[in-house]
Amino acid sequence: TLAALFLLEAVVDLIWPGDSGFMALPGITIGFQINETTYIRLFDLLPPVVGLVVWLALVLFYRLSRQGIRVQAVAENSSLAARRGININHIGAVSWAIAVVVGVIAGMTIGTQGVVSTLIVGTALKGFTVALVGGLDSIEGIVPAALLIAALEVATVRWIDQQWSEAVPFIVLLVVLMIKPWGLFGRIEELERV
């Protein structure tokens, strides 16, 4: 999958080289000074706020709505869900629609923070590691996993080296998968015997 991603990215760069640059947004320089060395733009607060709102919306959707419970049932055991009368093709379409909406929101939010280019793929890979560390079946595990990885990245930049911080999410992922293959907050998967 990753090889296909990098191949498609290279083909897109060849066909549409385009320019990379900053999104021209109104009010991008508005912010406030905390002390002599710290200035926070209002747009710097956008990713955590939008992320929290999207995360809460997904938690509520999966826990309280019929469709969310059906999505979980299909993810757990699609053949049993189909026998119970759940239209798994419809649920698949709902899942893809949710993924597209969340992806668009994430892309737009990341676009407010820096240069917009095809290098945003690296950010997507870090997001994937957060999902695996938290547990693929645990929405509640995403926030602690993201905070853990972000804290370790910042500590690595501060006390070791900025280049090493790029590897931190993947190192954390390897360690977590060796200890708990289902993620920190994921449910233990039942292995089927063949």
Side-chain angles (χ1 to χ4, degrees), residues 12-194:
V12 166
D13 278 341
L14 284 173
I15 296 172
W16 300 288
D19 290 330
S20 61
F22 290 92
M23 291 174 61
L25 298 169
I28 199 161
T29 58
I30 297 173
F32 49 92
Q33 192 84 28
I34 292 181
N35 56 32
E36 294 89 28
T37 59
T38 306
Y39 179 80
I40 295 181
R41 298 177 314 138
L42 288 178
F43 274 91
D44 292 336
L45 301 175
L46 191 63
V49 170
V50 169
L52 185 61
V53 168
V54 170
W55 177 76
L56 282 172
L58 287 173
V59 167
L60 292 174
F61 171 75
Y62 284 120
R63 296 291 177 247
L64 302 178
S65 74
R66 289 180 69 129
Q67 284 293 94
I69 293 169
R70 288 177 178 168
V71 168
Q72 291 181 60
V74 170
E76 182 72 28
N77 190 333
S78 59
S79 61
L80 182 60
R83 284 188 214 128
R84 298 284 298 162
I86 297 174
N87 183 348
I88 54 176
N89 293 327
H90 174 73
I91 295 300
V94 168
S95 298
W96 276 104
I98 291 170
V100 167
V101 168
V102 171
V104 167
I105 291 170
M108 290 176 63
T109 304
I110 290 296
T112 65
Q113 298 304 303
V115 177
V116 177
S117 72
T118 55
L119 297 176
I120 204 166
V121 171
T123 304
L125 290 176
K126 287 183 183 181
F128 184 64
T129 61
V130 167
L132 288 172
V133 168
L136 282 178
D137 62 346
S138 172
I139 299 235
E140 293 85 0
I142 290 174
V143 172
L147 292 174
L148 171 69
I149 289 176
L152 290 173
E153 276 187 291
V154 169
T156 304
V157 167
R158 185 172 178 100
W159 289 300
I160 300 175
D161 185 22
Q162 185 173 0
Q163 296 297 324
W164 279 100
S165 72
E166 294 297 318
V168 165
F170 307 104
I171 293 169
V172 171
L173 176 64
L174 286 173
V175 170
V176 168
L177 290 180
M178 284 191 294
I179 297 169
K180 292 182 82 174
W182 50 87
L184 294 176
F185 298 93
R187 285 179 292 182
I188 299 174
E189 296 178 11
E190 296 178 15
L191 299 175
E192 295 180 6
R193 296 182 181 231
V194 179

